[in-house]
Amino acid sequence: MNRRDIENSIHRSWIFLEKVGLGSSFGQPGALPVNEEFRDLALSPETKYTTLYMNGLQNSHYNILLEDYSYFQYSWEKNEEVRYAYYSNPFISTGHDMEKFRRLSQLLAADMITLEEYYTMLNDVQPEIRVPLIRYENAPGQYVALKHPCSHLHIGFHSENRWPVRRVITASAFTMLIAKQYYPQEWEALDSTLGEGFEETLDGMLIEERQNCRIIGDDYFAELEERSFHFG
């Protein structure tokens, strides 16, 4: 999976999110460069999720911003080494919360309130992380059998959990999986307008995209790992 593959997959992700009615802004069509401030916050055990989320949002450190102000990051370092992440908005759990968050963000963008005022007003909206941070990595250079899977998912803000994956997931497959799991209303609304043939449904498209997620060879997925629990 080279840089062009990643960028094509990011572009397909945006097209899909637009169709499903979730895409708000396509901020970075290419692989996301390293942001040292965001990286240092992410690596610090003292960082709270809301702090990391707000840093990425305010610095536009994302490829795609969604209508609910959640966002996707897609990174590529070198051949086969990729990182995708979905950061959910922790400040919304109801439609009222969404409207308030949107209004405050618009006021901040228009320089009608300061960043300090913005944070103060957000304190009235108590963060509630209903949807976890989801991160995917393929890291052949860090592979250690049964200890550090080459291809793996991180679920939630705890960074040391790694759920082995038998395939190298594409950016668009990751995007579609997030949409199906966490935006079922939008997924079903679009699905109801598509053709009757299964291959024309969103699940059919997701299965087709899975074919682009190649199976990892034995060099990076040991026989014992195959016998243990993993996502296939």
Side-chain angles (χ1 to χ4, degrees):
M1 189 182 299
N2 57 37
R3 181 182 289 274
R4 178 173 292 182
D5 293 332
I6 290 295
E7 292 178 348
N8 288 339
S9 195
I10 293 171
H11 188 69
R12 294 200 305 273
S13 294
W14 171 248
I15 292 173
F16 167 76
L17 290 170
E18 271 198 311
K19 286 182 178 179
V20 83
L22 292 171
S24 174
S25 174
F26 195 14
Q28 170 59 264
L32 199 67
V34 173
N35 179 293
E36 293 184 359
E37 181 182 0
F38 186 90
R39 180 198 61 194
D40 292 345
L41 281 173
L43 293 175
S44 172
E46 299 178 357
T47 301
K48 296 181 179 180
Y49 176 73
T50 51
T51 301
L52 184 63
Y53 162 81
M54 288 302 300
N55 181 272
L57 183 66
Q58 294 304 317
N59 290 302
S60 299
H61 187 53
Y62 51 74
N63 294 88
I64 296 175
L65 179 69
L66 302 186
E67 289 289 341
D68 66 356
Y69 288 85
S70 300
Y71 53 85
F72 283 96
Q73 296 176 341
Y74 310 101
S75 302
W76 177 90
E77 291 188 16
K78 54 187 176 181
N79 200 30
E80 297 297 333
E81 295 202 1
V82 298
R83 173 189 176 275
Y84 318 137
Y86 165 74
Y87 289 88
S88 66
N89 185 344
F91 294 101
I92 59 170
S93 58
T94 67
H96 175 73
D97 291 343
M98 182 66 238
E99 288 306 312
K100 181 171 184 178
F101 188 88
R102 187 190 302 276
R103 186 167 60 253
L104 289 176
S105 296
Q106 290 171 344
L107 289 173
L108 179 64
D111 293 326
M112 297 179 69
I113 59 175
T114 66
L115 186 59
E116 290 73 19
E117 291 172 327
Y118 179 70
Y119 285 134
T120 299
M121 294 176 185
L122 274 183
N123 285 334
D124 295 334
V125 184
Q126 294 298 318
E128 183 178 350
I129 305 175
R130 293 190 174 192
V131 177
L133 159 66
I134 304 291
R135 230 173 1 112
Y136 168 76
E137 294 180 1
N138 188 61
Q142 300 178 43
Y143 172 65
V144 179
L146 297 175
K147 294 182 179 180
H148 194 294
C150 174
S151 174
H152 59 273
L153 288 165
H154 295 271
I155 301 175
F157 199 47
H158 176 266
S159 62
E160 294 305 311
N161 74 94
R162 296 180 181 89
W163 299 78
V165 181
R166 189 65 167 105
R167 293 174 180 262
V168 178
I169 300 177
T170 64
S172 48
F174 178 81
T175 304
M176 293 181 74
L177 283 168
I178 295 296
K180 180 176 181 177
Q181 296 300 326
Y182 298 118
Y183 298 90
Q185 292 182 335
E186 290 83 355
W187 179 280
E188 292 171 8
L190 177 59
D191 214 26
S192 65
T193 68
L194 301 177
E196 296 182 357
F198 179 74
E199 67 279 358
E200 299 177 17
T201 67
L202 291 183
D203 278 304
M205 295 176 189
L206 181 56
I207 288 174
E208 182 178 358
E209 181 61 33
R210 181 175 179 269
Q211 305 311 308
N212 295 324
C213 303
R214 70 166 182 81
I215 296 176
I216 294 176
D218 295 341
D219 289 347
Y220 293 104
F221 204 92
E223 188 270 339
L224 284 175
E225 292 174 296
E226 179 68 33
R227 289 162 53 189
S228 187
F229 288 98
H230 65 275
F231 290 105

